[in-house]
Amino acid sequence: MPDSDPPPSSAPATLSPEVRAVLGRWNPQGAALLRAAGGAADNGAVPVARAAEAVTLIAPADASTLLLRTELARFEPWIALTDPMVDPATAPAVALVLLDAGAALGASTLGVVSRLRANGTRILFAMNNTHAYPDWRAVLDRNTALLIPVLGGDPGIVPVSARLSVAARQSGDAALLDRSGLGVLHTRLTAAAGADGGADRLAAVLHRVLSDTRERIVGQSAELNSGAEVARLREERATLLATRDGGRAQAMAALRNRMHLARMDLLHDAGARIRALNATARSDLDRLGRRTIKTYPADLQQSVNQLTGELDAVLTHRLADVSHQLETVTGPTPEAPVRAPVPRTDPPPRLGPDPEPRHRGVEDNLMIALGASGGFGLGRLAVAPLALVPALNYATIPVTLLLGAAVAYWVVRTRAHIAERAHVRQWVTDALVNVKAQLEQRVSTALVEAESQLTDQVVRATTARVVETDRRVAELESRVRELNSRQPAQLAACRRDLEILDSVRTQQL
């Protein structure tokens, strides 16, 4: 154990079973150290001192090895370690092979181990720097598999971390010191080297083990009296209760907000596309002839179909964006992942029946009369020079009639074509108003269905979290009740164990 105050000059002759039981409960590594150093035999007697063997350290000469040697030197009894070497010149009695947790051992190290075993050396193995490598257990298993064929058995590699030992010494955390593995390694080195150091050194070791055990018991008593563990559990319980709905309220608020924005944007987009199509249709009508105007409703229906496909693509992309934004609020849930809803593939809106034939009215008859009158006037004006010749006076009458009829026919056809364009233009306007209403209904229906699907997914995702939160809250409440019910018995046990240790300290004094 690490050095502290000077120990008494002699050790007690025996350790009672009660003392050994207390040491085994609170400080198992210290109890193992006493057994390894000869401080507590099976019958509790302190044996005669033995001579200690020096341990040959086989390790790379780096900062990690130096730190490990420094930390081992703070333990009692002190174990003599030789300078780090890669290949010992002579066969030592005891050797410590230090491995690294970052990589499996190589062929050179296996060769050194094989020669040491052939020479009868007792070999101990330790793997340093476990704090720096999360996958050190896989490296430990690999090293064990490589050493078993060489040694013929389990090498018993001790995972250690000198830096954890430093942190434990600076913070006074006994549990952290146990995690560092330095105590287990020192115990094995003590047993292998036989470093009891005599009665005075055994007394020092016993003093340190008793003092460290007493500090652990006192620390546990202080923690029980302060109620720190109960307070921590209650704080965690309050935090869980604050988010007991699993984030459902926040997710539903985000869903309503995103769907409202999507509805506004998509309806505005649909209206803008219809207005653009109406403007394009007006421009097309101005260029259509008498024959092509009859097939224009079918062309306009194709344009509506294309517009509907583009709007569906925008709608699908927007719903995928909403589902992604919702997943950022709810978090990934493998049990019930949020999926982007897919709009229904309904047929595109129809323009309705084709425009009805335009019926002739008073305006058409008036245009016939005006056309004939204007035509006869133009014909009369055109043949006026021929009237100066008396012989051609009668020939001007048929020419006048033909010109008048031709001009009247042209005026009537032109006026009819203009009226047909106006008729189709009005039909296009009315039809696109109907298409706009159908597209808005299409968008609204898709958004309502998507909101229903996303709401169901959010409920299922948050329900799993609610169940997990309730389970965790129940565990915390059970733990708090258990701690409160066990606290008096634990405090009594701590006082009883302290009295047992204090009786040993009184015997030492």
Side-chain angles (χ1 to χ4, degrees), residues 28 102 286 315 364 447 449-450 482 491:
D286 293 338
L315 176 61
D364 296 286
L447 290 177
E449 293 177 353
E482 181 182 359
L491 288 174

Side-chain angles (χ1 to χ4, degrees), residues 26 214-226 483 490-491 494:
W26 292 96
R214 192 178 193 283
E215 289 177 1
R216 297 188 181 196
I217 298 175
V218 171
Q220 182 66 22
S221 299
E223 184 176 356
L224 290 173
N225 287 322
S226 66
L483 289 177
Q490 289 178 340
L491 288 174
C494 291

Side-chain angles (χ1 to χ4, degrees), residues 17-27 213 217 497 500-501:
E18 292 82 4
V19 175
R20 284 184 289 168
V22 171
L23 294 179
R25 276 195 306 272
W26 292 96
N27 194 358
T213 305
I217 298 175
D497 292 343
I500 294 175
L501 294 182

Side-chain angles (χ1 to χ4, degrees), residues 74 77 103 123 128 165 189 291 334 385 405 442 458 506:
R74 299 179 182 276
I123 310 172
N128 197 12
S165 177
L189 289 173
R291 296 180 179 179
R442 184 188 189 93
V458 168
T506 302

Side-chain angles (χ1 to χ4, degrees), residues 196-245:
D196 58 47
D200 292 339
R201 180 57 60 88
L202 289 177
V205 172
L206 178 60
H207 174 75
R208 280 304 308 151
V209 171
L210 293 175
S211 298
D212 182 62
T213 305
R214 192 178 193 283
E215 289 177 1
R216 297 188 181 196
I217 298 175
V218 171
Q220 182 66 22
S221 299
E223 184 176 356
L224 290 173
N225 287 322
S226 66
E229 181 67 14
V230 174
R232 184 188 65 80
L233 294 177
R234 287 177 175 172
E235 181 179 358
E236 183 180 356
R237 174 180 174 273
T239 302
L240 291 175
L241 289 177
T243 58
R244 195 167 190 172
D245 64 343

